[in-house]
Amino acid sequence: MKFSVKKLALCAVLAALALGLSTLENLFPVSLIVPLPGVKLGLANIVTVFALYELGAPEALAILVTRCLLGGLFSGTATALLFSLLGGLCAMGVMILLKRSRRLSVYGVSVGGAAAHNAGQILAAMITLGNTMVVGYLPFLLAVALITGTLTGFVVSLLLRATAHLHLTNQSDYR
Amino acid sequence: MKSNSSTVKTRPTPWDALVFAAVAALAVLTALVFYGPKARTNAPLTCVVSVGGEVMDHVPLASFAGEHTYSHNGYTLTVRVSGGQVEVLHSDCPGQDCVHSGPISRAGQSLVCLPAQVVIHLESGTDGPDVIVG
Ligand SMILES: [Zn+2]
């Protein structure tokens, strides 16, 4: 695998985009539906899924960690960093596994990733609060994940088809 | 790197529905566990307040009326219990999420303040932590 300048530039752009998305989702606080502070919708997962398909797992991981660290730096709290990092890593782990199944489309991978993302955020809340009672929020957050996961799948499938002819990477493209 | 792109599916397959169903089933299952038949009964509620991971108060809601303050991590919360409801009246935490969560009054509900590490939880029954099965 060659980490070309083109690929590096693409990673930087995607990390910036992910950071923008995670800032944007502050406008739609999940806490209105699920009153667990710190929880985010996971719109930045769109970038993770796209990077996973278009670039590969190492690049997607680099983008994810960059986004979480910069986001944590801007918010200035260790709690925000823990929520985004645990949520993001859980989502990525599950999606790498699900993606191995050639039977699943982007949609199935995204929904599984969104569910893992929200479970990871519950885990972050448990660690932060030293309390297991917050697991009670899991059913609500899983229901939210069905919506955000499907939305993510939809957006990424559009992106993959739209960028197929651009030759973003040196891999064989989508036909 | 092997070119796996050519096999990428961008349209939903029946197998995606399986993932969707699995997540939905998990949501329903965990909902039943936490908010199942036992939680819906009119059993008296117990208010459990944990601060920094330690249980500070474990009191039947009916005999917990009044205002209580909890301090941790340099933040102070004022919690009001009245008429079977619990709410964070005011707090000096950043974000004020706990105050905006509004009152809770049913078993299984919680109020959370992340900066102060305070969790106020309502559980049904007056005897210790409940384990709800079925
Ligand atoms: Zn608070």
Side-chain angles (χ1 to χ4, degrees), chain A residues 37, chain B residues 75-77 88 90-100 112-118:
Chain B
Y75 304 112
T76 303
L77 277 76
V88 179
H90 43 83
S91 161
D92 53 6
C93 67
Q96 298 281 302
D97 289 305
C98 51
V99 180
H100 296 150
V112 175
C113 182
L114 279 182
Q117 286 181 284
V118 171

Side-chain angles (χ1 to χ4, degrees), chain B residues 72-127:
Chain B
H72 193 68
N73 287 347
Y75 304 112
T76 303
L77 277 76
T78 305
V79 176
R80 184 169 67 187
V81 181
S82 67
Q85 288 193 333
V86 187
E87 64 183 318
V88 179
L89 209 54
H90 43 83
S91 161
D92 53 6
C93 67
Q96 298 281 302
D97 289 305
C98 51
V99 180
H100 296 150
S101 297
I104 55 169
S105 57
R106 291 197 307 273
Q109 290 184 312
S110 305
L111 290 168
V112 175
C113 182
L114 279 182
Q117 286 181 284
V118 171
V119 181
I120 302 152
H121 183 73
L122 291 179
E123 54 184 46
S124 62
T126 47
D127 41 33

